[in-house]
Amino acid sequence: MTQSALVLFSGGQDSTTCLAWALSHYQHVETIGFDYGQRHAVELSLRPKLFASLRTLYPQWAAKLGEDHMIDLSLLGTISDTALTRDTAISMQKNGLPNTFVPGRNLLFITTAAALAYRRGITVIVGGMCETDFSGYPDCRNESLRALETAINLGMATNMEIATPLMWLDKAQSWKLAEDLGGNALVELIRTDTHTCYLGERGTLHEWGHGCGTCPACALRARGYLEYVKNK
Ligand code: ZN
C-alpha cells in the first residue's frame, strides 16, 4: 500500500463510494472535482460536508485524505447541448442514447485528472464509471477506459492506472460495497448527503436519498437502494 490515488469526486453516490474505496486501498488520496455548468451543480456544494463527515467518522482515513482540486471545465457546458447542461427535457435520442449523455465528458475528466496526477506524482486515477447498471453511456464502458489508459500512458510516457472499482457492480452491490468499506455509517452518509438527481432537486429525503424521484438517475438510485435493503 504505497501508491497515491486521485479520485474523481463529484459529491455523488458512486464517487463517494469510490473515495471510501481509495481511502481503504491507498496511502495517500487526493480528489478532483469538475464544474462544467451542470444543472445539478448542487452536488458540488455537498463535497465539503462529505469531506468533513468522512474525516470525523473515520480518523484512519482522515490521515490519508489530501488536497482537493476543483477544476473549471465550463468549456464542456459551452460546447455541448445536452439535458445536463441545458434546460431541456430528458429524452431518448435517435442514436439510442439519452440526451443526458455529455459527449467527451469522461474522456475530458480523466485526461484532465491524468495531467494533474502527473504533476502531483500520482499513479492511480479512481473513477466511478460502471457498465453494469448504467444509462448506456459509451464513455463508461471498460473498453473505452482501457483504451484511454493506453492513450494517456503513451501520450504522457507514464504508467498510470485508471481504477474503476464499481465497473462490474450493479447499484445494489455498490451500496453493499459502501457498507463493507465503512459500515452502516457510510451507507447513511451516502444516503443522506450525496447527490444523484439530474435535475438538481434536493427537497424531499426519500428512503434512498434526496432527489426528484422520477429522473433516470433517481430511478436507478432508488431501485438499487431498495434492492440492497431487501438483500440485507
Ligand atoms: Zn431526479
Side-chain angles (χ1 to χ4, degrees):
M1 216 203 243
T2 53
Q3 279 172 315
S4 301
L6 178 64
V7 180
L8 274 66
F9 180 62
S10 65
Q13 175 190 348
D14 291 342
S15 67
T16 304
T17 307
C18 281
L19 178 54
W21 179 86
L23 288 164
S24 312
H25 284 79
Y26 302 102
Q27 208 98 67
H28 175 78
V29 175
E30 299 189 8
T31 47
I32 183 168
F34 301 103
D35 186 347
Y36 60 98
Q38 59 269 55
R39 281 168 75 187
H40 54 299
V42 61
E43 68 178 0
L44 297 176
S45 68
L46 300 169
R47 296 164 87 256
K49 192 177 170 199
L50 286 165
F51 287 133
S53 300
L54 287 172
R55 285 194 167 98
T56 312
L57 288 168
Y58 307 100
Q60 72 278 27
W61 289 351
K64 297 177 172 186
L65 187 55
E67 250 182 84
D68 177 43
H69 311 269
M70 251 328 269
I71 308 293
D72 178 359
L73 279 185
S74 48
L75 88 119
L76 196 54
T78 314
I79 56 183
S80 63
D81 183 14
T82 76
L84 288 197
T85 51
R86 297 258 196 283
D87 192 8
T88 315
I90 297 175
S91 63
M92 199 51 88
Q93 304 177 115
K94 278 201 206 85
N95 62 3
L97 282 173
N99 65 348
T100 49
F101 172 58
V102 182
R105 179 174 58 172
N106 281 338
L107 306 180
L108 199 55
F109 281 6
I110 293 172
T111 306
T112 306
L116 181 81
Y118 185 99
R119 189 186 90 207
R120 306 283 302 162
I122 295 173
T123 52
V124 182
I125 294 162
V126 182
M129 284 70 65
C130 163
E131 74 167 73
T132 308
D133 237 2
F134 76 146
S135 309
Y137 298 162
D139 58 353
C140 287
R141 289 180 306 190
N142 189 50
E143 198 183 2
S144 307
L145 298 168
R146 298 288 69 92
L148 182 60
E149 185 180 72
T150 303
I152 286 169
N153 285 325
L154 284 171
M156 297 189 191
T158 49
N159 190 22
M160 285 195 204
E161 180 198 345
I162 301 173
T164 50
L166 308 185
M167 182 57 76
W168 310 113
L169 304 184
D170 63 27
K171 289 289 170 198
Q173 290 169 322
S174 292
W175 285 104
K176 178 69 174 66
L177 175 62
E179 184 193 315
D180 293 344
L181 292 166
N184 288 331
L186 185 60
V187 172
E188 192 55 15
L189 178 69
I190 291 174
R191 188 181 79 87
T192 57
D193 285 344
T194 66
H195 185 84
T196 297
C197 178
Y198 278 155
L199 304 182
E201 171 80 46
R202 283 211 59 80
T204 320
L205 177 62
H206 306 273
E207 191 185 350
W208 43 269
H210 289 277
C212 73
T214 53
C215 78
C218 280
L220 197 59
R221 174 166 169 150
R223 199 167 62 228
Y225 184 79
L226 298 177
E227 199 191 317
Y228 157 72
V229 171
K230 203 175 73 192
N231 299 336
K232 224 164 140 59

